């Protein structure tokens, strides 16, 4: 009987009856809490509710002096914290079928006629407790399944592997009622991690601890497709992932993506053992769902790495030295969450001067980066025989229409004659160049035209003259374009910042990147030049 022992609240105003009922229950191994009235029962339950130790069942006499047992039952069932407490009514006087019906209608689980055989009393108590525990377990399972479903929705909505890991960790913490951390080990060896919110608000372990976790996950999953559970003892599991500075055993649930990348859901072993038996299965489902959602994000990381490598390969940090001209370039990729675009710059020597270009292929993908490379190479080839910016824009337009009819791009081309300072500009849907003077003035060159790839007529180039103290600035819209803010306002802010920047092309670029280039949603390409004195 010990494994079925329960705490029983006995509510009876007759002392002898309370004693007799308590004696029967104690012989069966139960703990008994006797009270003499409904008011005393409510007070006792409130006290136990605050300590988190409600009885397992209440035996309530129907004929209490301050309120009927039926009314007491109704009050209990109307209070959510106490509604799950099973109530068994008993009476020596109210024994008619209608009395039993009133007890059941009030929310009671059973009705005893006393005096009753001890075996009957014990059996009714066991049945009431067993039924309540089954209902409680079923309700808890429904709650956990709901939590699991909500977490999977959050995981699938994640835009980055860091967001995915954080969402999965928060869900694991709610399922297990303990701190949690989630790790995704990419094919490139990078470890993406997230912690449940309560843990993430404090300092997490350093890079060395993350490296140790990556080695552990790699060793555990080597040759094992999973999913499976494993325990890592405290000496092998770095301290601080679950609680700041605390070393403890870790319970790991591991799964793999379709590409074979390991996903690990980690909780403290103490918390895992304290969870219900079905919690482990729910955490395993969460690990599998996280692995499924991680696959496209990992593929995106690979594509992003390829695109970024492509960008860096064809956009050198320095351009060739041109007689009579100082040229500075900058390229800043978008923040880690954002896809690589098709931004580019070029500075090319031609028979008639130096051709500079800044442009952007519309779209954000590996395809955009690939088309960027084609445009840049085409421009290098065309300018060997053709220096006129408008003619070059027309040829690039035809190239896009022929090879990439669904792609458009913007570009600004400027042919600079270092000896005279004469500049011819052809603009294809791009931000116009900005002439910045050392006097503290700055103005955009009035140059406009349709995007590349549309096959539209193009205006003649715009001409301007650079003085030795002037700087010509060309940028892509990633520097200034912000969602929800009118581009004209952003361009005016850029003009004002450029006008107030320190002298020199390097200082100009660095100042603008400091002002506008932090955590941008798009790539930034920038080119600044000035005539070289002497």
């Amino acid at each position: 009987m010990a494994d079925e022992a329960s705490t029983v609240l006995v509510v009876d105003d007759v002392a002898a009856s309370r004693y007799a009922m308590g004696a029967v229950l104690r012989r069966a191994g139960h703990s008994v809490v006797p009270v003499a009235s409904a008011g005393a029962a409510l007070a006792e339950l409130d006290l136990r509710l605050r300590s988190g130790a409600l009885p397992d069942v209440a035996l309530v006499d129907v004929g209490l002096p301050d309120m009927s047992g039926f009314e007491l039952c109704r009050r209990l069932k109307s209070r959510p914290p106490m509604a799950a407490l099973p109530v068994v009514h008993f009476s020596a006087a109210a024994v008619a079928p209608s009395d039993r019906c009133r007890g059941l209608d009030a929310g009671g689980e059973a009705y005893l006629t006393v005096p009753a055989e001890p075996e009957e009393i014990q059996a009714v108590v066991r049945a009431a407790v067993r039924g309540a525990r089954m209902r409680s377990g079923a309700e808890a399972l429904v709650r956990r399944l709901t939590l699991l479903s909500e977490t999977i929705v959050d995981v699938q909505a994640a835009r980055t592997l860091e967001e995915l890991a954080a969402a999965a960790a928060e869900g694991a913490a709610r399922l297990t009622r303990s701190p949690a951390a989630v790790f995704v080990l990419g094919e490139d060896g990078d470890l993406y991690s997230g912690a449940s919110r309560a843990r993430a608000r404090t300092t997490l372990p350093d890079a060395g601890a993350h490296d140790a976790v990556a080695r552990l996950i790699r060793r555990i999953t080597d040759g094992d497709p999973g999913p499976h559970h494993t325990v890592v003892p405290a000496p092998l599991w770095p301290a601080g992932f679950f609680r700041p500075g605390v070393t403890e055993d870790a319970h790991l649930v591991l799964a793999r993506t379709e590409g074979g990348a390991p996903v690990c859901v980690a909780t403290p072993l103490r918390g895992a053992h304290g969870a219900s038996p079905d919690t482990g299965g729910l955490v395993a489902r969460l690990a599998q769902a996280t692995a499924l959602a991680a696959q496209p994000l990992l593929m995106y990381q690979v594509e992003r790495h390829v695109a970024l490598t492509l960008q860096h390969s064809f956009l050198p940090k320095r351009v060739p030295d041109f007689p009579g001209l100082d040229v500075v370039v900058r390229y800043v990729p978008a923040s880690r969450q954002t896809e690589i675009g098709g931004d580019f710059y070029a500075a090319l020597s031609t028979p008639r001067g130096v051709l500079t270009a800044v442009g952007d292929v519309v779209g954000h993908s590996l395809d955009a980066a690939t088309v960027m490379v084609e445009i840049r190479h085409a421009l290098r080839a065309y300018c060997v025989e053709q220096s006129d910016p408008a003619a070059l824009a027309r040829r690039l337009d035809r190239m896009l229409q022929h090879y990439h009819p669904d792609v458009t791009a913007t570009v600004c081309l400027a042919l600079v004659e270092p000896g005279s300072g004469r500049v011819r500009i052809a603009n294809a849907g791009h931000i116009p160049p900005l002439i910045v003077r050392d006097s503290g003035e700055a103005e955009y060159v009035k140059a406009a035209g349709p995007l590349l790839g549309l096959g539209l007529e193009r205006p003649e180039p715009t001409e301007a003259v650079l003085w030795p103290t002037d700087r010509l600035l060309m940028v892509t819209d990633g520097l200034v374009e912000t969602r929800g803010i009118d581009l004209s306002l952003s361009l005016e802010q850029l003009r004002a910042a450029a006008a107030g920047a320190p002298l020199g092309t390097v200082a100009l670029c660095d100042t603008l990147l400091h002002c506008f280039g932090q955590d941008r949603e798009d790539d930034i390409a920038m080119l600044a030049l000035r005539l070289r004195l002497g």
Side-chain angles (χ1 to χ4, degrees), residues 161 184-192 214 218 298 301 305 336:
L161 288 164
V184 180
L185 187 60
E187 296 177 9
D188 54 2
D190 287 344
L191 185 70
Y192 306 91
R218 196 177 291 111
L298 286 167
Q301 287 294 343
H305 176 72
R336 189 176 178 89

Side-chain angles (χ1 to χ4, degrees), residues 47-108:
L47 181 64
R48 288 177 169 268
L49 183 62
R50 286 194 291 272
S51 65
L54 282 174
D56 296 293
V57 63
L59 292 183
V60 180
D61 183 19
V62 170
L64 297 173
D66 47 352
M67 72 176 72
S68 73
F70 304 136
E71 178 59 26
L72 174 60
C73 182
R74 275 191 287 269
R75 291 198 182 186
L76 295 179
K77 298 300 181 180
S78 67
R79 299 175 61 180
M82 299 180 187
L85 177 65
V87 174
V88 175
H89 290 106
F90 66 89
S91 177
V95 296
S98 60
D99 298 317
R100 297 176 182 274
C101 292
R102 288 182 65 193
L104 296 174
D105 289 342

Side-chain angles (χ1 to χ4, degrees), residues 137-189:
E139 291 168 358
L141 179 59
V142 169
R143 286 194 297 271
R144 286 193 290 273
L145 286 172
T146 301
L147 285 177
L148 176 63
S149 300
E150 292 171 349
T151 300
I152 290 175
V153 169
D154 292 339
V155 165
Q156 291 175 337
R159 298 176 302 168
T160 67
L161 288 164
E162 290 83 357
E163 287 183 6
L164 173 139
E170 181 62 21
R174 295 171 69 190
L175 284 171
T176 61
R177 296 184 180 179
S178 66
V182 170
F183 306 90
V184 180
L185 187 60
E187 296 177 9
D188 54 2

Side-chain angles (χ1 to χ4, degrees), residues 268-440:
L269 181 61
R270 182 181 64 182
H273 280 179
S276 63
D278 55 30
T279 300
L282 297 180
V283 175
R285 292 187 191 181
L286 173 59
Q288 290 174 303
T290 303
L292 186 63
Q295 179 64 27
L297 295 177
L298 286 167
M299 292 176 62
Y300 158 70
Q301 287 294 343
V302 172
E303 181 176 295
R304 189 180 192 278
H305 176 72
V306 172
L308 190 56
T309 302
L310 196 63
Q311 291 276 37
H312 286 169
S313 299
F314 289 94
L315 297 177
K317 294 181 179 180
R318 297 178 60 87
V319 294
D321 187 52
F322 300 105
L325 203 63
D326 289 326
V327 181
V328 174
V329 293
R330 295 283 189 273
Y331 173 72
V332 180
S335 58
R336 189 176 178 89
Q337 301 89 289
T338 311
E339 293 181 275
I340 290 294
D343 294 42
F344 68 94
Y345 53 72
L348 307 165
S349 180
T350 76
R352 293 176 53 189
V354 177
L355 179 74
T356 60
V358 169
D360 183 8
V361 177
V362 176
H364 295 83
S365 65
L366 180 58
D367 289 340
T370 303
V371 174
M372 174 276 291
V373 174
E374 291 187 45
I375 291 177
R376 198 169 180 276
H377 276 305
L379 184 62
R380 289 170 62 89
Y382 294 155
C383 75
V384 171
E385 298 180 350
Q386 176 62 262
S387 301
D388 181 66
L392 290 170
R394 283 192 288 270
R395 296 188 71 174
L396 292 174
D397 183 57
R398 289 196 295 272
M399 185 274 287
L400 272 187
Q401 290 181 75
H402 183 78
Y403 291 108
H404 302 283
D406 297 327
V407 175
T408 57
T410 69
V411 67
C412 184
L413 302 167
L415 179 65
V416 183
E417 297 177 4
S420 64
R422 183 168 175 249
V423 184
R424 288 170 57 81
I425 300 166
N427 194 353
H430 202 78
I431 294 175
L434 185 64
I435 295 179
V436 184
R437 309 190 192 283
D438 285 0
S439 61

Side-chain angles (χ1 to χ4, degrees), residues 221-232:
T221 57
D222 185 25
D224 188 347
H228 64 275
H229 300 247
T230 190
V231 174
V232 177

